[in-house]
Amino acid sequence: MGLREGKGSYRLAEHVYQEKGTDNLCSSKGIRWNRTATIHFVLPVKNQGVWVYHFINELTIASLLTGDTNFHVIVVDFESQDINMTRAFDTDLLRDRHTVINMTGKFYKTLALNSAVEHVPSEHDLIFLFDLHIDVPIDIMDAVRKNTIEGYIAFFPAVGRLKCESSSIDHQGFWQMDGFGLLNVYKSDWLRFEGMNTKDFKHAWGGEDWDVLDRVLNVHLEVERIKYPGLYHHFHAKQRDWS
């Protein structure tokens, strides 16, 4: 909610709930969002240079339009041959806001995610497990902070999967409600549910997102699930892009 009074701009956003059968709005005990939390985008990569540049461009636009620079990008790179990561992130905005972790061997997503989180400096920082082929909505960082509450709520935004040849402009496709690959959670809570399952989910695709959802629920975190406009996944052929 935005309010303008005199020469200043003000913003008010709090979590409230309505008691059933009444018109009363009440504050939720303990539910306070951290407006200044640093967000760490975690991006596992193997030979996806074009899409890395897409992510960089999208994130840069979002940051410039909102003025939000309180973030860091952690790239876990499995020997990509189609991009120079250091050069790609050598921009005024991202030069000091990125970390590249180099890994060898076959793409190992769960291991990559756990390794990236180890580089998050504070337990009170936010982790955003992101993915390639996805647009970055302009207001996504503030939405992450509002919908992820340390010790209480993990945020799994729903991705809109675009049909082949559809774009973020006409956005024809469907909301993937059975996928939980994008996760926002504080590092302290990540440590509580012990991160990704690297034993049962190694190189094969599928299942690791449902497994981490179970882990989140097992430590009694509430799951926030929202169809987020602009968070669109572009169609791609998996065999070509990930082999």
Side-chain angles (χ1 to χ4, degrees):
M1 179 187 302
L3 299 175
R4 181 174 293 275
E5 186 176 301
K7 295 182 179 180
S9 293
Y10 305 90
R11 183 182 58 167
L12 173 64
E14 296 293 347
H15 289 270
V16 298
Y17 68 93
Q18 183 175 5
E19 292 186 76
K20 187 175 182 179
T22 74
D23 295 326
N24 299 328
L25 292 179
C26 304
S27 297
S28 302
K29 184 178 180 180
I31 306 299
R32 295 290 183 271
W33 65 287
N34 184 353
R35 295 166 173 78
T36 61
T38 301
I39 298 173
H40 295 262
F41 289 85
V42 176
L43 204 65
V45 178
K46 183 177 177 66
N47 289 332
Q48 295 285 290
V50 171
W51 290 103
V52 172
Y53 277 111
H54 175 78
F55 170 79
I56 289 173
N57 184 61
E58 290 275 301
L59 182 58
T60 299
I61 292 172
S63 178
L64 291 176
L65 289 177
T66 61
D68 194 335
T69 58
N70 195 16
F71 65 88
H72 195 87
V73 180
I74 303 177
V75 178
V76 187
D77 182 34
F78 285 82
E79 303 177 292
S80 293
Q81 301 298 310
D82 62 348
I83 184 174
N84 183 315
M85 290 295 177
T86 301
R87 186 179 301 168
F89 282 89
D90 187 23
T91 70
D92 290 341
L93 177 65
L94 299 175
R95 187 173 298 117
D96 298 321
R97 293 187 178 89
H98 84 281
T99 299
V100 177
I101 303 171
N102 294 303
M103 302 190 77
T104 60
K106 194 172 182 180
F107 188 77
Y108 194 157
K109 183 178 180 180
T110 54
L111 179 63
L113 298 179
N114 283 348
S115 298
V117 173
E118 290 177 2
H119 286 74
V120 174
S122 172
E123 291 188 8
H124 305 295
D125 284 352
L126 271 163
I127 300 162
F128 191 173
L129 303 188
F130 210 71
D131 203 351
L132 294 170
H133 316 104
I134 296 179
D135 293 335
V136 180
I138 291 172
D139 59 346
I140 190 64
M141 287 188 278
D142 227 23
V144 166
R145 296 187 186 100
K146 283 188 286 188
N147 290 294
T148 313
I149 309 299
E150 188 171 8
Y152 289 90
I153 302 174
F155 180 31
F156 289 85
V159 174
R161 281 196 171 266
L162 300 177
K163 294 180 179 179
C164 182
E165 298 184 358
S166 182
S167 71
S168 55
I169 297 176
D170 58 13
H171 48 80
Q172 298 299 308
F174 65 95
W175 291 105
Q176 187 174 27
M177 300 308 295
D178 60 349
F180 294 86
L182 299 194
L183 165 62
N184 300 278
V185 69
Y186 279 88
K187 183 176 180 178
S188 60
D189 292 325
W190 175 279
L191 295 176
R192 285 173 58 203
F193 63 76
E194 300 181 341
M196 302 297 295
N197 182 348
T198 59
K199 179 181 178 181
D200 298 322
F201 301 94
K202 296 182 179 180
H203 307 298
W205 288 94
E208 73 280 351
D209 56 338
W210 281 86
D211 182 85
V212 77
L213 173 62
D214 287 341
R215 288 167 173 257
V216 167
L217 294 173
N218 284 337
V219 296
H220 306 292
L221 287 171
E222 181 180 329
V223 169
E224 186 74 11
R225 187 72 163 151
I226 297 174
K227 297 176 181 177
Y228 204 86
L231 198 63
Y232 299 136
H233 182 283
H234 293 263
F235 179 87
H236 66 93
K238 287 186 178 180
Q239 184 176 1
R240 182 181 70 248
D241 285 349
W242 293 106
S243 61

